[in-house]
Every structure is written in structure tokens, then in C-alpha cells.
């Protein structure tokens, strides 16, 4: 059986790099999907905005997906940790 990581460590990894928290939590496919969509939506919003828009505004799509991935990674890691503690 795979070792369960501390959910707070998974949270820290998710904040540092998109998808890293999911990979650390044992869900590499989900982490890769989040990283892919961060890049995709970041590039999409960058391409559809004007140069007068701030950096945050130009990459808002990718940052939004990244922000969604942070609590998702933590929640999944916490559920996995709770299930590991309950199993005999």
C-alpha cells in the first residue's frame, strides 16, 4: 500500500505548483489534468486580452483553475488520510 502524505504538505505543494499536490496525494493523472488546464486557460486568456491588462488579468483563466486545484488537492489528501487511519 502507498504511504499517505500529510494533507498540509499536499496543500503546500498545491500552492507552490499546479498539479503537484495531486501528484503527492497519489493522483498523478488528476494533477497532470489540472496542470494542463492551467496552461491552456492561461494561454487562452493571454491571447484574448490586450497588452494594457495587468499580468494577473492576462493570466486569469490559468490562475482560476490553479485556485480551484488547491482546495481539491487538500480535500482529496485529507480524505485519503482519514480513510488510511480508519482501515484496520
Amino acid at each position: 500500500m502507498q504511504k499517505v502524505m500529510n494533507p498540509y504538505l499536499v496543500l503546500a505543494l498545491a500552492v507552490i505548483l499546479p498539479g503537484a499536490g495531486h501528484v503527492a496525494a497519489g493522483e498523478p493523472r488528476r494533477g497532470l489534468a489540472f496542470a494542463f488546464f492551467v496552461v491552456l486557460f492561461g494561454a487562452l486568456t493571454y491571447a484574448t486580452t490586450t497588452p494594457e491588462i495587468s499580468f494577473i488579468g492576462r493570466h486569469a483563466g490559468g490562475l482560476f483553475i490553479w485556485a480551484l486545484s488547491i482546495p481539491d488537492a487538500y480535500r482529496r489528501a485529507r480524505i485519503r488520510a482519514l480513510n488510511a487511519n480508519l482501515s484496520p
Side-chain angles (χ1 to χ4, degrees):
M1 188 158 129
Q2 190 177 15
K3 185 179 179 228
V4 178
M5 285 192 81
N6 184 338
Y8 292 118
L9 181 58
V10 171
L11 178 65
L13 289 170
V15 169
I16 293 170
L17 188 66
H22 288 92
V23 172
E27 299 184 16
R29 281 184 154 164
R30 191 171 182 91
L32 183 62
F34 268 112
F36 172 75
F37 282 109
V38 165
V39 171
L40 178 70
F41 282 101
L44 185 66
T45 55
Y46 183 83
T48 57
T49 57
T50 60
E52 297 85 33
I53 307 297
S54 68
F55 178 84
I56 300 294
R58 291 201 80 179
H59 298 88
L63 295 172
F64 177 71
I65 301 298
W66 190 351
L68 289 177
S69 76
I70 293 170
D72 183 65
Y74 173 73
R75 181 178 53 86
R76 288 177 166 271
R78 183 160 177 151
I79 289 170
R80 180 175 268 199
L82 289 173
N83 287 340
N85 290 339
L86 292 177
S87 62

